[in-house]
Amino acid sequence: MRPLLKTGVAALVLAGLSAGPVLAESTLQKVKDRGELTCGVNTGIAGFSAPDDKGNWSGIDVDVCRAVAAAIFKDPSKVKFVPLTAKERFTALQSGEIDVLSRNTTWTMSRDTSAGMNFAGINYYDGQGFMVNNALGVKSAKELSGASICVQTGTTSELNVADYFRQNGITYKPVVFEKLPETIAAYNAGRCDVFTSDASQLYATRLTLGNPADHIVLPEVISKEPLGPAVRQGDAEWANIVRWVLFALVNAEEFGVTSKNLDQMRDSTNPEIKRLLGTEGEFGKGIGLDNDWAYQAIKAVGNYGESFERNVGQGSRLNISRGQNALWRDGGLQYAPPIR
């Protein structure tokens, strides 16, 4: 017969078995305790995330963070923006320096599986392109054999351009920089023939280059670049919050709910609108928030269409058409699951 464990030791063993692993404090609780959301954004790209001369941030990526802050605190100002380079962004998220990364970041398999992050959705469907000076006399990317190409390191752009030129049997000379401003400055100074990045970024950059008419974006789009906010792996509740705030903005546009008619829409008899705005059901509980979480998010930044038009669309200097970013019913790709 084996000797019996001493009572004290046995109690500790049993307690350990019954208690299970100690759970770390949730991201939502940390954000609430801190009193603000910490959001990683670009160091400055018009339409997505850029500060004005007074330090006020704007852009569609900024709107995602303001909407999340509003859903949590009922106050979109309770967010701290942390400008990050492409190289810094993933470490900042993994280390806990930021709560959410909303920085024109492409959703890829490796990033979603081995980089310790989960994407919450897609707020902009993009694709990589090329910009050249008109003086180069080039009309197609396939005419760029031997060209020097400015590209930012640590991005999917660096990998995509290598794949594209190898696939088409074209040689090129990469001119690589860590930071976006350095990359743009080098192109503007003529240190390379071509600047490559997401097409949206090319159009934003073109506006900053003295005489924009001197530069053209070539017609080729060489990749799929689904851009969206990301969170750390291991906190499903937090991922759900960011994901459903984004979905709420898309659904709001589909239902015709805007920042201007929001209060009127609370009296709607449409059950989908009632669930969206929290006048029916208790869907906020499922993500750890009050039932008016979506109402607060839409009130803060408007629906997805309002945010798009204000920042990158017809109401902005970029003047980008909705294209793939139109709602699914309008021939685009933006589609959100129902709140049900």
Side-chain angles (χ1 to χ4, degrees):
M1 176 182 273
R2 294 188 212 170
L4 293 172
L5 289 170
K6 292 183 178 179
T7 306
V9 176
L12 286 173
V13 172
L14 291 172
L17 290 173
S18 61
V22 177
L23 297 176
E25 185 180 23
S26 72
T27 304
L28 175 60
Q29 192 57 53
K30 288 179 182 177
V31 170
K32 286 182 174 179
D33 291 345
R34 190 191 307 127
E36 66 177 4
L37 174 73
T38 307
C39 177
V41 292
N42 200 302
T43 53
I45 173 173
F48 287 80
S49 52
D52 62 17
D53 55 4
K54 295 181 181 178
N56 298 311
W57 288 85
S58 64
I60 61 171
D61 287 340
V62 167
D63 279 356
V64 170
C65 293
R66 291 199 194 283
V68 172
I72 298 168
F73 297 110
K74 307 183 195 300
D75 184 349
S77 70
K78 290 193 173 183
V79 52
K80 175 184 176 182
F81 295 103
V82 180
L84 299 166
T85 67
K87 187 176 180 180
E88 297 167 335
R89 56 185 164 170
F90 302 137
T91 302
L93 182 63
Q94 292 159 358
S95 68
E97 180 185 349
I98 58 174
D99 305 308
V100 59
L101 178 66
S102 188
R103 188 204 173 280
N104 59 296
T105 297
T106 302
W107 186 346
T108 69
M109 181 177 180
S110 60
R111 290 174 177 177
D112 203 37
T113 56
S114 58
M117 55 198 288
N118 286 136
F119 283 81
I122 299 168
N123 70 329
Y124 193 92
Y125 289 91
D126 209 344
Q128 186 174 335
F130 301 94
M131 182 165 64
V132 300
N133 193 298
N134 280 319
L136 198 63
V138 170
K139 301 299 180 185
S140 167
K142 292 181 179 179
E143 300 172 22
L144 293 176
S145 181
S148 55
I149 300 181
C150 280
V151 62
Q152 190 179 5
T153 191
T155 64
T156 54
S157 299
E158 187 178 16
L159 304 175
N160 291 336
V161 73
D163 287 347
Y164 178 79
F165 278 80
R166 184 175 61 221
Q167 182 180 352
N168 287 281
I170 307 172
T171 61
Y172 77 104
K173 178 185 175 184
V175 184
V176 179
F177 298 89
E178 179 182 338
K179 298 181 179 178
L180 179 61
E182 296 172 344
T183 314
I184 296 170
Y187 169 75
N188 200 28
R191 292 176 59 187
C192 53
D193 303 311
V194 185
F195 172 43
T196 186
S197 187
D198 294 346
S200 59
Q201 188 160 296
L202 296 181
Y203 285 108
T205 299
R206 184 170 173 265
L207 296 175
T208 70
L209 299 178
N211 185 6
D214 288 343
H215 306 268
I216 62 169
V217 177
L218 299 178
E220 286 83 2
V221 175
I222 68 169
S223 69
K224 293 186 294 184
E225 304 295 331
L227 311 179
V231 298
R232 281 181 300 282
Q233 287 182 359
D235 191 338
E237 177 189 58
W238 183 244
N240 281 335
I241 289 172
V242 178
R243 177 179 299 114
W244 281 98
V245 165
L246 177 57
F247 286 161
L249 302 184
V250 175
N251 276 325
E253 181 182 9
E254 182 175 342
F255 300 147
V257 177
T258 71
S259 57
K260 296 180 177 60
N261 67 14
L262 192 61
D263 289 314
Q264 289 175 262
M265 285 293 195
R266 293 186 100 172
D267 297 325
S268 171
T269 58
N270 183 325
E272 293 187 285
I273 294 176
K274 291 168 72 72
R275 290 192 291 267
L276 173 70
L277 299 182
T279 59
E280 179 177 296
E282 295 188 334
F283 294 93
K285 285 185 177 180
I287 54 175
L289 300 178
D290 291 340
N291 282 330
D292 67 347
W293 61 278
Y295 170 90
Q296 297 293 341
I298 300 162
K299 181 181 178 181
V301 303
N303 64 36
Y304 176 80
E306 288 179 277
S307 177
F308 185 99
E309 295 303 328
R310 179 175 64 246
N311 291 299
V312 299
Q314 306 301 310
S316 76
R317 290 194 307 149
L318 272 66
N319 197 29
I320 298 174
S321 66
R322 284 293 292 267
Q324 296 177 105
N325 291 291
L327 293 178
W328 64 280
R329 68 181 183 192
D330 300 323
L333 298 175
Q334 285 295 348
Y335 183 105
I339 296 173
R340 183 173 299 147

